[in-house]
Amino acid sequence: MKILAIESSCDDTGISIIVDGLVKSNIVTNQEVHEQYGGVIPELASRQHHINLIPTIESSLNEAKIEMKDLDAIAYTKGPGLLGCLMVGVTFARSLAMSLNIPTIAVNHMHGHIMAHFIEGDKPEFPFLCLTVSGGHTQIVMVNDVDDMHILGETIDDAAGEAFDKVGKMLNLPYPAGPYIDKYAKLGKPIYNFSKARIEGLNFSFSGFKTSVLYFLQNQMKKDQNFIQDNLHDICSSAQHTIVDTLIAKMEMAINSHEIKGIALAGGVSANSLLRSKFEELGLSHQLPVFIPSFEYCTDNAAMIAITAHYKYKKGLFAPLNDMPEPRMKF
Ligand code: KG4
Ligand code: ZN
């Protein structure tokens, strides 16, 4: 079964080809155009997808040594994501499938992040808990089966990745700032206290944290203009600790109240070195196996869309040819 998948929900154009569930190619064409703006500009992202799609598909077919006519289905991200970006991917996928006379498979991007655990290596046993942390989402998900998962808790305002990126903006770091904060945090100590939200249950909130970092920096800068550049490593380390502690505390709560066989981490923020090590420790302390996908399958990629489509294909879950993108697609 040969599936080509298109992921275009945000600012990266991802194409992947999988054959019988094995990844034959997984290419992500990054969009550098947004760096100068400190955030993704939706209209520029859609246009860039338009430019990137065909060359990325050609490279993917070449790498997989597969001809277009041999494909059995085209998969795409239906949502959630930026409307214009999704629209480019969905219409392209539908047209391509129609011209090849093969079915399409619509995939929820957030299911894709979780299904990334089924791409390679040891696969988690059901049921397991997945902490999905990306630029747009922060969710604790109960995963009972490949097509039976539900959200136990999620952010009520900013996502964890967004919290990293917004703090990075205050520190004049390039976008996305998560990797820079991670890098500088290694050189500093968590000596500053930023506020942690006290939200009941398994939901998250990062807006109070963000404001506390902002007020702290404004106060310090009044006293010392060079405060940020002189203390960058300690500020990064402190901010990172606060975000990671918040995530781990909620996961701990979720583990204590559910019968599970493992814990998994997904989404771009799972690249964070402190989160990875604290997550490993969490699993160890509860004697639960821990699953963290390799880096290329953590950040946005099309292989996770392709593997989800692989399981949907087996169940005959195809999309109608008039399917439309859903920017706020429900889980
Ligand atoms: O899942 P992803 O690739 O895209 C979305 O669907 O959002 O996640 C991107 C997010 C960005 O906010 C980025 O700053 C964050 O992941 N990120 C990190 C690290 N690497 C990427 N955050 C903290 N530490 C990192 N090492
Ligand atoms: Zn994502």
Side-chain angles (χ1 to χ4, degrees):
M1 191 199 312
K2 301 181 183 68
I3 300 175
L4 181 145
I6 300 174
E7 152 56 41
S8 69
S9 61
C10 192
D11 59 334
D12 294 322
T13 316
I15 301 292
S16 175
I17 294 174
I18 64 167
V19 177
D20 297 331
L22 293 176
V23 176
K24 297 293 172 187
S25 85
N26 180 41
I27 302 181
V28 179
T29 307
N30 298 110
Q31 300 185 358
E32 272 141 27
V33 57
H34 309 285
E35 269 171 25
Q36 56 185 306
Y37 301 104
V40 176
I41 309 293
E43 184 56 26
L44 291 180
S46 324
R47 284 162 196 252
Q48 205 61 42
H49 282 306
H50 208 266
I51 295 166
N52 293 346
L53 261 179
I54 292 177
T56 314
I57 288 177
E58 281 172 348
S59 310
S60 194
L61 287 165
N62 286 340
E63 196 176 295
K65 297 189 178 62
I66 282 179
E67 288 190 47
M68 196 96 90
K69 65 173 175 49
D70 297 328
L71 294 171
D72 295 303
I74 308 292
Y76 57 85
T77 303
K78 178 180 166 78
L82 299 168
L83 177 60
C85 297
L86 294 167
M87 189 66 94
V88 175
V90 174
T91 41
F92 194 94
R94 276 165 32 186
S95 315
L96 183 59
M98 214 187 295
S99 72
L100 295 169
N101 199 23
I102 54 176
T104 52
I105 301 167
V107 173
N108 182 311
H109 182 88
M110 302 315 294
H111 289 191
H113 272 302
I114 294 171
M115 292 302 292
H117 292 100
F118 294 83
I119 294 177
E120 60 177 7
D122 289 342
K123 294 169 179 103
E125 231 186 288
F126 300 112
F128 65 93
L129 281 175
C130 184
L131 172 66
T132 311
V133 271
S134 71
H137 294 85
T138 303
Q139 300 173 336
I140 295 182
V141 179
M142 183 73 189
V143 189
N144 295 313
D145 207 336
V146 288
D147 56 353
D148 176 8
M149 33 181 116
H150 58 269
I151 297 174
L152 299 177
E154 62 188 330
T155 182
I156 57 166
D157 40 56
D158 289 348
E162 213 172 348
F164 273 104
D165 294 338
K166 286 182 177 167
V167 167
K169 201 168 180 179
M170 297 173 205
L171 301 174
N172 299 315
L173 298 177
Y175 175 87
Y180 292 93
I181 295 185
D182 193 356
K183 185 171 112 187
Y184 297 135
K186 288 193 182 110
L187 307 168
K189 290 205 167 65
I191 55 173
Y192 305 117
N193 276 321
F194 300 127
S195 83
K196 271 189 215 151
R198 287 190 201 90
I199 303 282
E200 271 191 46
L202 295 174
N203 284 339
F204 299 90
S205 164
F206 288 103
S207 69
F209 157 75
K210 192 181 60 186
T211 314
S212 93
V213 178
L214 181 68
Y215 287 168
F216 170 77
L217 292 176
Q218 282 174 345
N219 274 332
Q220 297 298 325
M221 293 287 277
K222 268 189 225 150
K223 293 181 239 164
D224 171 9
Q225 277 276 305
N226 295 328
F227 181 78
I228 291 181
Q229 69 200 65
D230 291 348
N231 299 281
L232 184 64
H233 300 159
D234 292 338
I235 303 169
C236 287
S237 170
S238 310
Q240 177 172 278
H241 257 88
T242 312
I243 298 173
V244 170
D245 281 354
T246 307
L247 296 170
I248 294 292
K250 292 284 174 167
M251 261 315 271
E252 176 108 53
M253 266 176 79
I255 293 171
N256 288 335
S257 50
H258 293 84
E259 278 293 319
I260 45 159
K261 295 195 175 137
I263 56 171
L265 194 55
V269 183
S270 54
N272 185 269
S273 51
L274 183 68
L275 179 59
R276 291 173 93 95
S277 62
K278 293 254 172 179
F279 205 79
E280 295 278 3
E281 281 170 25
L282 183 66
L284 214 58
S285 68
H286 287 270
Q287 289 167 325
L288 288 167
V290 174
F291 300 88
I292 305 177
S294 60
F295 184 67
E296 66 172 316
Y297 301 131
C298 283
T299 53
D300 284 354
N301 67 87
M304 69 187 200
I305 304 302
I307 193 76
T308 313
H310 171 84
Y311 286 99
K312 288 188 96 169
Y313 190 111
K314 291 214 260 184
K315 294 194 172 216
L317 298 171
F318 300 112
L321 268 181
N322 62 354
D323 195 32
M324 291 296 281
E326 274 184 43
R328 292 175 178 276
M329 190 174 184
K330 291 242 162 50
F331 196 80

